[in-house]
Amino acid sequence: MHLENNVYLEGEDALIIIDRRKLPRSEAEVYCTDYVEVARAIEQMMVQGAGDIAITAGYGLYLAARELERQNGGRDMAGLKQAADRLCATRPTGFHLAVLLGKLLERVRKNAAAKASEIILAVLDKSLARQREISQATGRQAETLLTSGDTVLTHCFAGAGLLYMFKYAKENGKDVKAICTETRPYLQGARLTAWSLSEMGIDTSLITDNMAAYCLSKGMIQKVFAAADRIAMDGAVANKVGTLQLAICARHLGIPLYILGYGGSDRRTLRGHEIPIEERDPREVLEFQGTPITGDRVQAYYPAFDITPPELITGIVTVSGIYRSVEIGALQSH
Amino acid sequence: MHLENNVYLEGEDALIIIDRRKLPRSEAEVYCTDYVEVARAIEQMMVQGAGDIAITAGYGLYLAARELERQNGGRDMAGLKQAADRLCATRPTGFHLAVLLGKLLERVRKNAAAKASEIILAVLDKSLARQREISQATGRQAETLLTSGDTVLTHCFAGAGLLYMFKYAKENGKDVKAICTETRPYLQGARLTAWSLSEMGIDTSLITDNMAAYCLSKGMIQKVFAAADRIAMDGAVANKVGTLQLAICARHLGIPLYILGYGGSDRRTLRGHEIPIEERDPREVLEFQGTPITGDRVQAYYPAFDITPPELITGIVTVSGIYRSVEIGALQSH
């Protein structure tokens, strides 16, 4: 499946990242040989999606463990903690990053006999396999929501689960089309979602972000799907900026909006307003792939995510089933 | 005032158009020596805004009259009608184009003694002066809606009236800031509105089109202003695509949306759904300033305008006052 994983170890001491900002026009590989380079790659959005960011940061921690082992001949928990903190500070909104890094440190702590780098690698291997299972199961659940003849509106890149949803629909003989918002400023909708779906043989059309309500109002779209970087226990969803306005418009125009929630909610975040919204460098809005698009005196503002309240979400699709947004906290808290 | 007029005659037989697609990074002049070139320039969006499109087409008709006079030594109503039809077919959504071209033909018909080209030029001179007066008066009306401390969200380029609104607010000592949507795919918000306002010394920030609801939800914006390419007698407004979703979100979040309606409604259009929505070449969505942004198998859809229903519009600001959207038809029909 396209875009399911874009990081690979080369040998034991280098990580290769396929730079998602360059897809689909070129497949640029970025080599990272220490955790600081991995952290910078994450900050610069070479990796995209809360789950993939977490896995990439995990490999960063692995590189840190390898380096500490070379230097000290053994484990260095303080050094590992420092690397994990640096990696965790890269992107504040998604919760998978903190969860996976915390899990990796805990496993290392609990298993004093083994080498830290080997423990981390073993956990990452399992996490990657589990992530694929979750994507497939979530896609399978989501597919049950689709009817032949549907056109689905997507925003940003909603993860491999979205691609599996279309794959299974096709396998089940359902004729389902896609309309993808381009998702400025990084164009993940154009570069990742529309590209992947079209390569899978799905009838896929691109629109700019300001065309969504018009398409919704014209009966062109039957369902809206987006993902979640974090789901609070109250059912509020943090996702790529623009999800909120799709949700408001979909509700106003009577179209259901589903969130691909994969593993579910973050039990440490009780309410949506507790989720930190990352504000990125305004220059990323003032330029398009390096070309300035306005005058030099213009400022900019770049919130990378927004919060959609639970009452605007029709359902949250997870690995274990489809829930009403307000139910998700209770179901996930056990 | 910036951007009040971007067409000029050079001598008697050439029209210069400042290509708005290149602003603000370069001020490219395009020479047109016949009406077909003018029609193509309008189709290719070198000119922007319903009023300016109409004036430019008027100059196209003037060039046609000059050419017919050179060929025939006199007037050729059939030739002029053919040129007017070609110019009128360039952009279907705005109504000023058909109104001005119709007026020019009528004036020529009614004044058999004078040269057609001279009649057209005299009407265009008056129309330009009147357009400036309307922009100033509309800006003055709109300024009364602003309170010091307001931040105004704008979409696309809402015409010179928007710039006058900010100019008068500043002259009246009101501290009013602007947030402008970039307005893909042609980026008029970034290239025209944000640039012009920032050059006027207004504190101006750019956002991508998908960030509007987040900014509205965060209390960052007190008023939303957009323009109208056509206002139906029922108060529905056709404007740059994206206006509808701003209107839905503004209403959902309790923020007023005002339309700069300049001369008012089109009395020949009773209801919003009668307004034809121009669908442009999908390639314009698949590229960013000539660079492809997705895979080759992806299709696209490009509605250039949308229709905002009257119930989502707080007020329509015209040269003669500020009206509730549902009142506009009654007030304009006398």
Side-chain angles (χ1 to χ4, degrees), chain A residues 155-235:
Chain A
H155 186 54
C156 198
F157 177 61
L162 182 90
L163 307 187
Y164 281 115
M165 176 181 87
F166 277 94
K167 179 174 185 279
Y168 299 142
K170 202 174 173 188
E171 285 169 6
N172 289 339
K174 296 181 186 173
D175 172 28
V176 180
K177 295 183 173 63
I179 295 181
C180 308
T181 61
E182 64 176 0
T183 320
R184 282 275 291 148
Y186 274 105
L187 298 168
Q188 293 96 333
R191 294 185 304 93
L192 307 177
T193 311
W195 170 61
S196 305
L197 290 174
S198 69
E199 292 292 317
M200 288 164 60
I202 306 297
D203 182 311
T204 304
S205 294
L206 187 65
I207 58 171
T208 59
D209 294 298
N210 48 14
M211 296 173 187
Y214 179 77
C215 295
L216 288 164
S217 77
K218 285 290 170 186
M220 295 168 62
I221 291 160
Q222 283 67 51
K223 274 133 201 168
V224 185
F225 277 87
D229 288 79
R230 191 187 305 201
I231 303 172
M233 296 294 276
D234 66 354

Side-chain angles (χ1 to χ4, degrees), chain A residues 23-25 155 179 182-185 187 189-192 194-195 198-215 217-218 220 240-246 248-249 251-253 277 279 285-286 288-289 291-307 309 311-312, chain B residues 23-25 155 179 182-185 187 189-192 194-195 198-215 217-218 220 240-246 248-249 251-253 277 279 285-286 288-289 291-307 309 311-312:
Chain A
L23 290 172
R25 291 288 151 180
H155 186 54
I179 295 181
E182 64 176 0
T183 320
R184 282 275 291 148
L187 298 168
R191 294 185 304 93
L192 307 177
W195 170 61
S198 69
E199 292 292 317
M200 288 164 60
I202 306 297
D203 182 311
T204 304
S205 294
L206 187 65
I207 58 171
T208 59
D209 294 298
N210 48 14
M211 296 173 187
Y214 179 77
C215 295
S217 77
K218 285 290 170 186
M220 295 168 62
K240 174 58 54 192
V241 69
T243 307
L244 173 61
Q245 65 197 47
L246 287 185
I248 293 171
C249 293
R251 177 55 52 96
H252 183 83
L253 295 161
I277 297 298
E279 294 186 7
V285 169
L286 294 170
F288 179 88
Q289 297 185 347
T291 305
I293 60 168
T294 185
D296 295 331
R297 295 180 179 197
V298 179
Q299 304 161 65
Y301 179 56
Y302 183 179
F305 301 90
D306 58 28
I307 309 282
E311 62 269 22
L312 297 177
Chain B
L23 289 172
R25 291 286 153 185
H155 186 54
I179 295 180
E182 63 175 1
T183 320
R184 281 276 290 148
L187 298 168
R191 293 185 304 92
L192 307 177
W195 170 61
S198 69
E199 292 292 318
M200 289 165 57
I202 307 297
D203 182 311
T204 305
S205 294
L206 186 67
I207 58 170
T208 60
D209 294 299
N210 49 15
M211 296 174 187
Y214 179 76
C215 294
S217 78
K218 284 291 171 184
M220 295 168 62
K240 174 58 54 192
V241 69
T243 307
L244 172 61
Q245 65 197 50
L246 287 185
I248 294 170
C249 293
R251 177 56 52 98
H252 183 83
L253 295 162
I277 296 298
E279 294 186 7
V285 170
L286 294 169
F288 182 92
Q289 297 186 345
T291 305
I293 60 169
T294 184
D296 295 330
R297 296 181 178 196
V298 179
Q299 304 162 65
Y301 179 54
Y302 182 179
F305 301 91
D306 57 28
I307 309 281
E311 63 270 20
L312 296 178

Side-chain angles (χ1 to χ4, degrees), chain B residues 129-156:
Chain B
R130 177 76 184 131
Q131 189 169 296
R132 166 174 288 211
E133 284 167 20
I134 289 176
S135 291
Q136 290 174 342
T138 304
R140 211 170 281 286
Q141 296 280 355
E143 191 273 343
T144 65
L145 294 167
L146 300 181
T147 306
S148 198
D150 279 355
T151 295
V152 167
L153 177 68
T154 70
H155 186 54
C156 197

Side-chain angles (χ1 to χ4, degrees), chain B residues 20-88:
Chain B
R20 284 215 179 163
R21 300 170 309 175
K22 305 285 169 64
L23 289 172
R25 291 286 153 185
S26 79
E27 200 161 305
E29 295 187 338
V30 178
Y31 278 72
C32 299
T33 54
D34 64 38
Y35 77 86
V36 177
E37 286 176 356
V38 175
R40 285 200 195 117
I42 293 171
E43 284 168 348
Q44 289 163 15
M45 310 242 321
M46 291 179 197
V47 189
Q48 175 275 342
D52 291 349
I53 287 169
I55 293 283
T56 306
Y59 280 115
L61 193 66
Y62 162 82
L63 292 181
R66 289 280 300 173
E67 193 172 344
L68 292 166
E69 284 157 11
R70 278 199 305 276
Q71 289 171 0
N72 309 334
R75 62 172 52 194
D76 173 354
M77 281 313 295
L80 275 183
K81 179 71 171 51
Q82 187 183 348
D85 287 348
R86 172 70 184 88
L87 289 159
C88 199

